[in-house]
Amino acid sequence: MTFAAPSPIPSRTEYVLEAIKRGILTGGLVPGQALVETELAARFGVSKTPVREALKTLAGTGLVVMSQYKGVTVRTVDAAMAHEVYDVRLLLEPEALRRSIARRAAFTEAAEALERAATADDNAERSLANREFHRALYLPCGNPLLGRMLDEVRDQAALVSAVAWAVQPSWEKEAAEHEEILRLARAGDADGAAAALHTHIADFVRRAYPEQEADA
């Protein structure tokens, strides 16, 4: 698999980081696959140092796992992992959106993210755009700590979505739900928007991982 270099490249580490992340979200790098520093360095034409730093960053966001015995691997998505991530979102995102509405956020960036998702060329771009949509809802909440807590699970949520879509494409349904959430938010309906967001998050993980529904 080849990776297109972003332009401009902020740094070698950033380039490698984004390339590996895109590979994971497109399925080019599959869950459980080993990520060998020397192989990645050769693929991207860099030394092992930026690869090592990129992998450390990805481990911090939960996209890869570092093991003393197995080395670095792409994180495996299972029902337990998906419900852990989505439980955090269910607890925090609706309240953050409610506060964003109370602060009269314009949600311009959310609308732009919806447009990018609708015109995306692949599920990786769509997943990233969807991630930015949700971030644009909660970031204006007025509590930087709450925003950072939700930022910490963004990549993992994108990975869950990418894996689920590969099995059962449902992005069109989710896009319609996003539009309704944004409509309610822009109308100033905090209760309605928060409820719609909660249902949206809960329904996705329930559809994608029904075997854990009783424990969710």
Side-chain angles (χ1 to χ4, degrees), residues 18 21-26 63 113-114 116-117 120 122-136 154-155 157-159 161-162 165 178:
E18 292 303 318
K21 180 187 292 186
R22 181 177 178 81
I24 292 171
L25 295 179
T26 57
L63 284 183
L114 275 188
R116 289 197 301 275
D122 54 43
N123 279 350
E125 292 296 336
R126 188 170 293 117
S127 179
L128 292 171
N130 284 348
R131 185 183 66 164
E132 290 306 316
F133 169 77
H134 281 272
R135 189 171 193 258
R154 281 198 309 153
D155 284 342
L159 178 58
S161 297
W165 285 345
H178 284 172

Side-chain angles (χ1 to χ4, degrees), residues 92-161:
L92 299 182
E93 276 196 45
E95 176 59 26
L97 173 58
R98 190 188 303 275
R99 294 184 180 198
S100 294
I101 295 170
R103 291 171 59 85
R104 301 183 183 278
F107 299 113
T108 302
E109 292 182 358
E112 292 172 350
L114 275 188
E115 180 63 25
R116 289 197 301 275
T119 57
D121 293 328
D122 54 43
N123 279 350
E125 292 296 336
R126 188 170 293 117
S127 179
L128 292 171
N130 284 348
R131 185 183 66 164
E132 290 306 316
F133 169 77
H134 281 272
R135 189 171 193 258
L137 296 180
Y138 66 70
L139 206 59
C141 70
N143 186 327
L145 178 58
L146 179 55
R148 288 196 298 272
M149 290 171 69
L150 284 165
D151 274 352
E152 288 183 3
V153 299
R154 281 198 309 153
D155 284 342
Q156 296 175 62
L159 178 58
V160 170
S161 297

